Amino acid sequence: MTRMTRQRAAVAEALDQQDEFRSAQQLHEVLRARGDSVGLATVYRTLQTFADAHEVDQLRNADGEVLYRRCERVEHHHHLVCRSCRRTIEIDGPTVEAWAAKVGAAHDFTDIDHTIELWGICKDCRG
Amino acid sequence: MTRMTRQRAAVAEALDQQDEFRSAQQLHEVLRARGDSVGLATVYRTLQTFADAHEVDQLRNADGEVLYRRCERVEHHHHLVCRSCRRTIEIDGPTVEAWAAKVGAAHDFTDIDHTIELWGICKDCRG
DNA sequence: CGATTCATGAGAACGATTCTCACGCTTGAT
DNA sequence: ATCAAGCGTGAGAATCGTTCTCATGAATCG
Ligand SMILES: [Mn+2]
Ligand SMILES: [Mn+2]
Ligand SMILES: [Zn+2]
Ligand SMILES: [Zn+2]
């Protein structure tokens, strides 16, 4: 049902080149710089498709922009992101997973989902 | 430095009437319905001012809209929000506070800030 | 090789939020 | 109370990330 196209391959490749979270527009610029011509609308659509398929992670920065990243681990996890350079550490948090589930159940809420992201300044950015 | 105006008093009063998180536009509509004429730009500015002063909490829904709420407790806390009716439970989470601080320190990040929000469906909305 | 149908892209549209700037009102001093 | 100073206000324009439109292109499959 999802066709393989030059554009999707290019977006996937551009994503793999990145270590940090990037916005759709940043990735569009990366593609342009690489010489891959991909429409901005297609970049947005493709990233959304990847996200729906859990092939990329997405989060919002403080400005509300959506950022995307292809993470190492495919299993559920969270992130510790440098506010300055966006360097990202993937966090495995059984402690908070259990906490979130317990809190939800304690208040009789179901279908619990959680947004847990840590932001800070990394060592390199402290200079 | 911050002056008391009819508009700010009206926004504060409208906020106090709400139990759930509301967007600036929703609050603007609440004010209009109450007969308080306050410009939309002023509602946005006032909410931002309140948020900066930690007088209201703010978070983003899945669509990226910013929602505001005057919470019971003024101390740092998190929220469990119903995706359907936005009913909100204020969460006190020493467990996650410690976890967040520990994770940040373990990776040599400073100025750690965390975004932790729980979403679910409340008992009434399951009905 | 077709036929089918999903994918693409340029530009328009959208929508939340912010900006502009002339005018009004709060404030603190007189 | 009066008044000057300057913060606050609001209507509308502007911003900007994201989505939509729709005619055209390309993957897929028999
Ligand atoms: Mn989790
Ligand atoms: Mn916390
Ligand atoms: Zn950094
Ligand atoms: Zn509910």
Side-chain angles (χ1 to χ4, degrees):
Chain A
M1 191 191 286
T2 42
R3 298 178 177 177
M4 181 47 55
T5 64
R6 172 183 66 79
Q7 290 87 343
R8 285 182 182 167
V11 171
E13 212 170 308
L15 269 170
D16 287 338
Q17 286 188 328
Q18 310 303 310
D19 282 335
E20 294 86 28
F21 274 92
R22 301 292 185 203
S23 69
Q25 310 217 25
Q26 284 179 319
L27 287 164
H28 181 244
E29 177 54 28
V30 167
L31 287 164
R32 202 192 56 69
R34 285 168 44 111
D36 290 319
S37 172
V38 180
L40 180 57
T42 298
V43 173
Y44 272 105
R45 272 186 300 236
T46 302
L47 289 171
Q48 193 53 63
T49 299
F50 285 172
D52 290 345
H54 303 291
E55 287 172 29
V56 302
D57 284 4
Q58 63 185 155
L59 55 79
R60 281 177 194 279
N61 67 12
D63 292 333
E65 286 175 298
V66 179
L67 306 181
Y68 302 86
R69 180 176 190 265
R70 169 107 65 177
C71 285
E72 297 293 328
R73 77 185 73 176
V74 70
E75 313 86 54
H76 174 82
H77 61 272
H78 299 276
H79 310 95
L80 168 58
V81 186
C82 176
R83 269 189 298 268
S84 174
C85 69
R86 288 191 182 164
R87 180 178 162 210
T88 300
I89 310 280
E90 297 176 26
I91 302 295
D92 189 14
T95 305
V96 286
E97 302 303 327
W99 171 82
K102 192 173 70 180
V103 168
H107 294 280
D108 209 353
F109 275 57
T110 54
D111 304 291
I112 301 293
D113 193 9
H114 53 266
T115 300
I116 299 180
E117 304 296 348
L118 307 186
W119 296 83
I121 300 295
C122 79
K123 184 172 190 171
D124 293 350
C125 286
R126 287 201 296 280
Chain B
M1 193 188 283
T2 41
R3 298 178 176 176
M4 181 48 54
T5 64
R6 172 183 66 78
Q7 291 86 344
R8 285 181 182 169
V11 171
E13 211 170 308
L15 269 170
D16 287 338
Q17 287 188 327
Q18 310 302 311
D19 282 335
E20 295 86 26
F21 274 92
R22 301 291 185 201
S23 69
Q25 310 220 24
Q26 285 179 317
L27 286 164
H28 181 245
E29 176 54 29
V30 167
L31 288 163
R32 202 192 56 69
R34 284 169 46 109
D36 290 320
S37 173
V38 181
L40 179 57
T42 298
V43 174
Y44 272 104
R45 273 185 300 237
T46 303
L47 289 171
Q48 193 54 62
T49 300
F50 286 172
D52 290 345
H54 303 291
E55 288 172 28
V56 301
D57 284 4
Q58 63 186 157
L59 54 79
R60 281 177 196 278
N61 66 14
D63 293 333
E65 285 174 299
V66 178
L67 306 180
Y68 302 86
R69 181 175 189 267
R70 169 107 65 175
C71 285
E72 297 293 328
R73 74 185 74 175
V74 71
E75 313 87 52
H76 174 81
H77 62 273
H78 298 276
H79 309 96
L80 168 59
V81 185
C82 175
R83 269 190 297 268
S84 174
C85 68
R86 288 190 181 166
R87 179 177 162 211
T88 300
I89 309 281
E90 296 175 28
I91 303 295
D92 190 13
T95 304
V96 285
E97 303 302 328
W99 171 82
K102 192 173 69 180
V103 168
H107 295 280
D108 208 354
F109 275 57
T110 54
D111 304 290
I112 301 294
D113 193 9
H114 52 266
T115 300
I116 300 181
E117 304 296 348
L118 307 186
W119 296 84
I121 301 296
C122 79
K123 183 171 189 173
D124 293 349
C125 286
R126 286 201 299 279

